């Protein structure tokens, strides 16, 4: 195993369901030694009398043994869109059970891993901010808050699922956060590996993908793993990345870290708006594509879309409308 002294590791989404035990999941962190690891914990421990939230298409129930088996150097964040899948009581129960590993993500509290400030952001446009969790919003307002940004690594639950490239607005806001002094902006939520971009002396990772995600309704699972782990070496302040492999998940070998500069960085087109628009045409859901620089206009489009989409779901018309739209529009690539 490589030397992990003075390192911090950043992982994507972790969900451990019923088919494997928490003890089996704990071995997935063997690459880190005793170094601190930050991971986004998706789902909730379900109380026996709790029910899934109304309208939640894919509620995630965590394996009960996970809370007792995570190594002490693994820090979990609950700042995501699945923390309230079974209501607030189950969420509070989850917080209590994971207290040893839970990292505080309220904006009023400073969080440091080995002296490096960490700030937690959630994308309200993608409904990633869970209820009363008071983390920072992924918005331009944070870039105007020096205390939240200066020298910090920003760990963001946001972006659009299953897209390798960031939306036009997502990229603009990430750039502004780096301009304001953040040393890195790291996204999770997309469930797939996103591109890396070097900008203004900082690093942007547009998607860590799944660190480990149990199969849910035929999705995810070890056979569909698409994730990566970021390693930050505090001295000399460099970043490296390892791609998660099925062999590693199966218990064979270690993760192989390479400098981000060694083939992971991508130079995005000058006319990025046109590039993104062509790559991701309007899909059947009519989800806003975030093609505007104006944040308020994008937020307004999302508000209208969310209200309309929920109305269609409640009336049972969602599938019919999508089918009709699908006949006259292209699916996203």
């Amino acid at each position: 195993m490589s030397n992990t002294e003075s390192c911090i590791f950043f992982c994507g989404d972790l969900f451990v369901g019923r088919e494997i035990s928490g003890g089996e999941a704990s071995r997935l962190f063997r690459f880190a030694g005793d170094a601190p690891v930050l991971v986004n914990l998706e789902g909730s421990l379900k109380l026996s009398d709790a029910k899934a939230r109304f309208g939640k298409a894919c509620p995630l129930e965590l394996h009960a043994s996970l809370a007792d088996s995570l190594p002490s150097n693994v820090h979990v964040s609950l700042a995501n869109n699945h923390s309230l899948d079974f209501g607030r009581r189950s969420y509070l129960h989850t917080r209590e059970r994971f207290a040893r590993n839970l990292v505080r993500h309220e904006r009023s509290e400073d969080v440091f891993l080995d002296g490096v400030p960490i700030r937690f952001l959630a994308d309200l446009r993608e409904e990633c901010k869970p209820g009363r969790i008071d983390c920072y919003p992924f918005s331009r307002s944070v870039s105007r808050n020096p205390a939240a940004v200066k020298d910090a690594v920003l760990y963001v639950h946001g972006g659009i699922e299953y897209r390798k490239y960031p939306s036009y607005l997502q990229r603009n806001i990430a750039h502004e956060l780096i301009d304001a002094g953040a040393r890195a902006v790291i996204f999770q939520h997309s469930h797939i590996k996103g591109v890396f971009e070097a900008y203004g002396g900082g690093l942007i990772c547009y998607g860590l993908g799944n660190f480990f995600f149990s199969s849910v309704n035929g999705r995810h699972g070890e056979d569909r793993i698409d994730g990566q782990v970021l390693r930050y070496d505090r001295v000399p302040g460099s970043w490296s990345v390892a791609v998660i492999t099925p062999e590693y998940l199966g218990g064979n070998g270690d993760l192989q870290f390479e400098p981000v500069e060694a083939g992971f960085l991508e130079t995005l087109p000058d006319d990025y708006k046109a590039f993104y628009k062509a790559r991701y045409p309007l899909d059947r859901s009519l989800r806003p594509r975030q093609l505007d620089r104006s944040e308020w206009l994008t937020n307004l489009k999302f508000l209208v879309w969310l209200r309309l989409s929920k109305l269609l779901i409640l009336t049972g018309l969602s599938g019919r409308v999508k089918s009709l739209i699908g006949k006259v529009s292209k699916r996203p690539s």
Side-chain angles (χ1 to χ4, degrees):
M1 179 177 294
S2 59
N3 180 24
T4 58
E5 188 176 350
S6 79
C7 292
I8 305 171
F9 293 92
F10 297 87
C11 302
D13 298 331
L14 171 67
F15 170 63
V16 178
R18 291 176 174 269
E19 62 268 32
I20 73 168
S21 70
E24 289 178 276
S26 67
R27 63 176 170 76
L28 299 175
F29 297 98
R30 63 187 184 276
F31 65 86
D34 296 325
V37 179
L38 179 60
V39 64
N40 176 62
L41 182 62
E42 300 256 81
S44 178
L45 294 171
K46 180 178 176 291
L47 292 172
S48 59
D49 61 341
K51 297 181 180 179
R53 293 180 67 198
F54 179 74
K56 195 69 177 180
C58 188
L60 302 179
E61 181 180 352
L62 289 167
H63 197 292
S65 68
L66 183 63
D68 298 318
S69 57
L70 284 179
S72 60
N73 60 308
V74 174
H75 305 272
V76 301
S77 168
L78 297 179
N80 62 67
N81 55 310
H82 283 286
S83 292
L84 290 168
D85 279 3
F86 298 101
R88 183 161 179 79
R89 287 177 54 246
S90 289
Y91 162 70
L92 293 174
H93 173 64
T94 304
R95 284 187 65 105
E96 181 180 349
R97 292 284 285 108
F98 282 93
R100 183 174 68 105
N101 298 91
L102 182 64
V103 67
R104 305 291 295 185
H105 29 59
E106 283 77 6
R107 68 181 86 184
S108 60
E109 298 190 27
D110 292 331
V111 173
F112 294 87
L113 293 183
D114 270 14
V116 177
I118 312 293
R119 301 292 181 267
F120 299 87
L121 282 67
D123 190 344
L124 277 67
R125 285 173 289 274
E126 292 297 310
E127 296 191 297
C128 289
K129 186 175 182 297
R132 302 178 189 177
I133 293 182
D134 190 32
C135 54
Y136 289 100
F138 175 63
S139 69
R140 289 195 167 98
S141 63
V142 179
S143 67
R144 296 190 289 270
N145 185 342
V149 176
K150 184 65 175 175
D151 294 326
V153 174
L154 307 183
Y155 193 64
V156 186
H157 198 72
I160 300 179
E161 291 185 341
Y162 303 106
R163 296 195 181 182
K164 176 180 178 181
Y165 293 92
S167 73
Y168 181 66
L169 179 62
Q170 179 186 358
R171 186 177 181 228
N172 284 326
I173 294 177
H175 283 190
E176 292 181 16
L177 292 168
I178 295 292
D179 289 338
R183 70 176 78 188
V185 182
I186 301 172
F187 290 87
Q188 10 82 25
H189 176 60
S190 64
H191 299 301
I192 64 172
K193 297 189 296 291
V195 297
F196 287 89
E197 182 180 22
Y199 173 80
L203 177 71
I204 306 174
C205 171
Y206 289 109
L208 287 173
N210 288 337
F211 176 67
F212 178 85
F213 217 102
S214 296
S215 179
V216 182
N217 297 339
R219 290 177 286 182
H220 307 292
E222 293 184 49
D223 58 333
R224 299 181 185 87
I225 191 67
D226 193 358
Q228 52 199 353
V229 177
L230 262 176
R231 166 177 164 160
Y232 180 61
D233 289 86
R234 292 191 294 110
V235 180
S238 60
W239 294 90
S240 54
V241 61
V243 175
I244 301 170
T245 64
E247 291 76 20
Y248 178 78
L249 295 181
N252 298 318
D254 204 355
L255 295 182
Q256 303 301 313
F257 286 88
E258 300 180 60
V260 172
E261 297 83 0
F264 289 92
L265 291 175
E266 187 161 338
T267 301
L268 301 179
D270 291 335
D271 189 353
Y272 185 74
K273 183 176 182 179
F275 166 81
Y276 180 80
K277 187 176 182 179
R279 187 174 183 88
Y280 301 110
L282 190 64
D283 67 23
R284 295 186 307 156
S285 72
L286 298 182
R287 172 190 292 274
R289 286 182 288 173
Q290 304 185 39
L291 294 172
D292 307 289
R293 283 190 65 93
S294 170
E295 195 171 10
W296 73 264
L297 180 57
T298 300
N299 291 345
L300 177 60
K301 290 180 179 179
F302 263 90
L303 178 62
V304 172
W305 175 74
L306 284 171
R307 295 285 176 84
L308 179 60
S309 62
K310 289 183 178 181
L311 177 62
L312 291 175
I313 291 173
L314 287 172
T315 57
L317 296 174
S318 179
R320 295 179 184 180
V321 172
K322 283 186 177 181
S323 178
L324 178 62
I325 295 173
K327 295 177 181 179
V328 295
S329 65
K330 299 179 181 178
R331 291 178 178 271
S333 58

